[in-house]
Amino acid sequence: MRLHRLRLSAIGPFRDATELDLATFGNTGLFLIEGPTGSGKSTILDAISFALYGKPAQSQASIERLKSHHVPIGTEPAVELVFETQRGRYRIRRTAPYERPKKRGTGTLPVRMQVWLYRLTDPDDLDGGELISNNLGDAEDEITRAVGLSHGQFVQTVLLPQGEFANFLTAKTETKRDLLQKLFGTEVVQRTQLALIEGRQQAERERKRSVEAVRGAINAFAGATDLDEERVAEVIEAAERGVAEPLIELIAAEEHRLLETVIAARSALQDAERDRGEAEAQWQVATELQQRRELRSRLRTQLQLLLGDAANQQAVEDELAAAERALLVTSAADGLRMALAELQRGQAAETAARAELAARLAGRRAAEREPEAADLAAADDRSLRRAASVAATLLGRLDADLAREQALADHRKRQQQWQTELDEQRCLVGQADRALAELPARRQQLREQLAEAERAAARRPVLAAERDRAYLRLQAARKAEVAAVEAAQEKLIAQELFDSEVRAEQRLTLLRQQWRASIASQLGLALQAGDPCAVCGSVEHPKPARPGADAVSQQQLEQAERDFTALRQQVETRRVQLGELQAELVQLQLAAEQLPADKAQLTLDEVSSELDELSALADEVPGLQEELHELDAGAQQLERLAAEARSIAARREQDLAHVMAQIERDEQSVQQARAGYDSVAERLAALSSELVAVEAAADAAERSRAALVTATAAGEVLQQALDQAGFDGEAAWQASVRTPEQVERLRGQVRTYREQVTAIRSRLAEADLADPVLDSEPADLAALASAFERANAAMQLAVEQHGVAVDRAAAAQRLAERVQAALQDSAAVLSRTAPAVRLGNLVAGLGDNRLKMEFTTFVLVRRFAEVLAAANMQLHRISQGRYQLEHTDARTGSAKSGLNVRVLDSHTGRPRDPATLSGGETFYVSLALALGLADVVRAESGGIELGTLFIDEGFGTLDADVLDDVIQVLDGLRDGGRAVGIVSHVSELKLRIADRIKVIRAVDGTSRLLATV
């Protein structure tokens, strides 16, 4: 690689456009880049590195050092380099990032790095060429292909920057290998190694996937069977070693255990179903028995009440019997007259009663009408009596139905109340479920807000520090403005003195030229005839020179030099003062980051405003945390409320089921008892009214018949009636006389009493109430109901457990098959990939590779030995035979071997680590290695051409003898067509190297270049 031309603009101290013809120095072979410290010598190397790779030569240096601080804001910093490699001649122009003013408004905008890469077709046209790319990535790729080196390799072989000169000497094997591979063109070996390593990695990935498949299958089987984690870890470890027997045994044992679990669950389910059926039957039987006991108890109570009134009822019956006997006697006593009158009234009453009865019978509902109902109104008194008895019996039975009808209202009220409560509980459950469904979104929102607030709290210290920096920038910007005014004033004052120095230097130069021109005339004045000339030794002086009008004497020249020296001292003093002032200004501008005070104030205001916003957001953290805590507590409360509401709803559903069953039974009984009427009470009222009409008709018929008998046989019957009545006289008869109404009332009381007693006894005699089991101890219905619920829950649990056991057994069987398949596949993969793994490990320096040396390193060891041999030729001369570089395979720790170096010291006869060398020794040993590397690379066909070498500093560490040897070695490179550029401020080098690039620093801190060839 050869460099032809370098152009700089607004780069470092080079404010103005600067051009350097490097091709001229390349032809000379050895040249010096010299100048004061800080003038910009290293900037030239940084510019070359930046043009090619977009970064400075030194690895720790920032790209910011390339931008000039001597140009207005918005000036584009640019580097252009023309270079030549084996691939052709190129021109590259690259601009560093900078800030430019906005086209509208105030402030600046950042401009990113840009690049233009050209291929030159005409060797004489260095400004033309074909544009290859203006894309950063594409240009970087093309530069790397053209140069053949990365940036790190470039600064180890072409540019040797200050502080990094010995990097290649002390680099690790991997770093040396990458560089040598590029230099010697052994990429095909690298590609072969990478292909084999990739094959090994692919094989290892296949192995890993197969092992992961085995591990995943085993973990899935373990998860389905709840295996112990330690046991699972043991079988996984064994399986990964290729030992499958423990796993197979474990799978068989688990499948057997799960089968036993299924059998046990099925047996438990059958037992639970049987227990549930028994509990349900017991509860239903006990409920029905309790209902019959309650009915029998009510009937017995009613019967006891009736029997308790038996004495009164007997008195009523006796009174009725006496009244009836009295009536017979009265009829006979009144005579025929009364009998006839009574007959007339009786017939009228009978007619009315039968009419009323006919009307009642006509109003019967269709459900109660009977074929003989129409003939009842014309029946005799005995038939009417029988009909009345039947009606009374029916009324007695309807009393129970009337009670059921009246209880239905209470049952329906309870039903409505429980239904309302059930709906309320279901509503509560729905509300709680909806609220719980909305909580995750709200919780996520709160968490996001909390995360944002926490990020703000975390960023607040950073922003506070940034605000402090902005405040410091503002203070520095204000001071910089003041310092800029002072520097400008001081510069004006100093410039006059600097101009005086230039004029004095020009006058001194002119005097020197005049003095050199007048030396001959001075010698001519001193010549005397016959005396030998001090120059040529001749004693003849045919045309001696004589001083002219502009002749300068030695005294004049020395006085001028003394005056110039004094003036230069003043200039240097003023330059130092101005430099210090400008350095202070630069430091202030750097501290202000090149910002004016107004922009620095704006930046501070913006940062302060953002900090206030972040602080307000960060202060919300405790509130958001508390709200999130309350949200979680509210969720737990909602879950408890929902659970309680579900429990209450379940109980109310059971209550509703019971009361609805009771309503259904009572409604069926009541509906049957209504027999077409709107209610049982309505039917009772109708039947009672009909019974009265029947009884009235029967009484009327009976009186009419009795009156007829009396009328026909009044005389005959009177005595007979008294005898038959058993009266002992008129007084006894008179005492027993009752009105017909009184007699009917007594008859009704007797009849009603007898019918009630008969109906109750008949009901108690029925089989369901006469059952002896009713006298047994009543069962605990609540306990039986609870037992039934427990049995039902146990059965449901057994169903679930049986289903889980069956599912787990089926899943375990499927997963066991998966484990078997994974084991077989893993064994096949291990066998198939074994050769690839072994070969990949060998070329990578692993496994059976005893040297732990990679294949590419092994190939490069021979070339590296040639590099060391070439380096030792130079090192032997520089070190006067003391040091020699030696290749070693020794490894340090776990590092790979192959390209390590040690130094043989002939004084001690023992090898040394390069790190033990002194600064000067390290410099010239590293230089010898770099030169040896360049010699071998040049000799290799197909390698990279290293036609140029730059060395930045390090010569100050050498003594005079070693420096002479190093310069002689470098000067000897001319014969090989190479060029070496030395960057140094060492004064001795100026005497030894004639071709120089001088960096001249002006009073304002800027620099310019002066080339001398």
Side-chain angles (χ1 to χ4, degrees), residues 169-170 868 872 875 879 881-888 900-918 921-922 924-926 929:
L169 176 65
T170 58
L868 294 182
N872 283 331
L875 182 58
S879 66
R882 178 180 179 181
Y883 292 124
Q884 182 178 357
L885 294 175
E886 182 182 58
H887 167 252
T888 176
N900 292 326
V901 179
R902 62 185 179 183
V903 180
L904 293 179
D905 189 345
S906 62
H907 290 182
T908 62
R910 288 181 294 183
R912 297 172 55 181
D913 190 296
T916 64
L917 298 174
S918 66
E921 292 171 336
T922 300
Y924 67 69
V925 170
S926 300
L929 182 59

Side-chain angles (χ1 to χ4, degrees), residues 19 153 217 310 455 511 595 642 690 713 729 731 743 800 847 954:
E19 180 174 326
Q153 296 162 346
R455 287 194 296 270
L511 288 175
L595 293 178
E690 182 180 324
V743 172
E800 295 176 1

Side-chain angles (χ1 to χ4, degrees), residues 928-971:
L929 182 59
L931 296 177
L933 179 62
D935 289 339
V936 175
V937 169
R938 285 170 56 85
E940 289 287 339
S941 60
I944 296 174
E945 175 68 25
L946 300 180
T948 304
L949 176 67
F950 285 92
I951 305 172
D952 188 1
E953 297 297 350
F955 293 89
T957 61
L958 306 178
D959 56 33
D961 294 336
V962 176
L963 181 61
D964 285 338
D965 293 335
V966 169
I967 296 301
Q968 290 179 14
V969 169
L970 295 178
D971 192 53

Side-chain angles (χ1 to χ4, degrees), residues 220-502:
F221 180 80
T225 55
D226 290 337
L227 285 176
D228 180 70
E229 293 182 359
E230 295 183 359
R231 179 61 173 151
V232 172
E234 292 176 0
V235 298
I236 288 178
E237 182 182 359
E240 291 177 352
R241 296 198 313 270
V243 181
E245 288 76 9
L247 178 59
I248 295 173
E249 294 175 358
L250 178 65
I251 291 175
E254 287 303 310
E255 288 181 338
H256 180 70
R257 181 180 65 82
L258 291 175
L259 179 60
E260 291 180 346
T261 302
V262 171
I263 295 172
R266 185 182 299 114
S267 176
L269 176 59
Q270 294 172 352
D271 293 341
E273 290 175 344
R274 184 185 63 253
D275 294 342
R276 179 187 180 280
E278 293 176 355
E280 184 178 15
Q282 292 176 359
W283 176 61
Q284 291 177 348
V285 169
T287 301
E288 193 268 338
L289 283 176
Q290 183 63 25
Q291 292 173 352
R292 285 194 286 159
R293 284 193 184 94
E294 292 175 354
L295 176 58
R296 187 182 69 171
S297 176
R298 290 196 301 271
L299 293 176
R300 284 180 174 177
T301 300
Q302 294 176 7
L303 182 59
Q304 290 298 326
L305 292 175
L306 291 174
L307 294 179
D309 197 35
N312 294 330
Q313 290 299 326
Q314 186 60 46
V316 171
E317 291 179 0
D318 292 345
E319 182 180 357
L320 177 59
E324 289 176 345
R325 287 186 287 109
L327 287 174
L328 296 175
V329 173
T330 300
S331 298
D334 287 343
L336 183 57
R337 181 183 58 82
M338 292 298 295
L340 292 173
E342 184 64 20
L343 177 59
Q344 184 178 5
R345 289 192 299 273
Q347 290 176 344
E350 182 180 2
T351 301
R354 289 184 183 277
E356 177 66 21
L357 177 59
R360 296 291 183 183
L361 292 176
R364 276 189 177 185
R365 296 293 174 94
E368 286 194 326
R369 287 180 182 173
E370 299 177 358
E372 64 273 11
D375 299 331
L376 187 59
D380 56 14
D381 59 328
R382 288 184 293 274
S383 298
L384 290 172
R385 293 294 181 188
R386 287 193 299 272
S389 177
V390 172
T393 301
L394 179 59
L395 287 174
R397 288 199 301 271
L398 289 176
D399 286 340
D401 293 324
L402 178 62
R404 292 191 186 92
E405 184 179 65
Q406 294 172 347
L408 274 175
D410 294 334
H411 293 335
R412 290 193 180 96
K413 183 177 180 181
R414 283 196 298 273
Q415 177 190 5
Q416 182 178 4
Q417 176 183 353
W418 290 340
Q419 183 64 50
T420 300
E421 187 174 350
L422 176 60
D423 294 340
E424 291 175 351
Q425 297 304 319
R426 287 175 175 171
C427 181
L428 287 176
V429 171
Q431 292 174 351
D433 290 342
R434 287 191 297 273
L436 287 172
E438 295 172 356
L439 287 181
R442 178 57 180 162
R443 184 182 292 107
Q444 181 64 26
Q445 180 184 6
L446 286 176
R447 286 176 176 171
E448 292 175 354
Q449 293 177 351
L450 178 59
E452 182 179 1
E454 289 175 343
R455 287 194 296 270
R459 177 165 166 71
R460 181 162 54 183
V462 177
L463 205 57
E466 186 174 347
R467 181 193 59 188
D468 295 339
R469 289 193 298 272
Y471 178 77
L472 294 177
R473 285 199 300 269
L474 175 60
Q475 299 300 317
R478 290 172 176 171
K479 293 179 181 179
E481 290 180 346
V482 176
V485 174
E486 295 176 355
Q489 295 173 349
E490 183 66 22
K491 183 177 180 180
L492 292 175
I493 297 173
Q495 189 62 47
E496 296 179 359
L497 186 59
F498 296 159
D499 294 341
S500 299
E501 180 194 16
V502 173

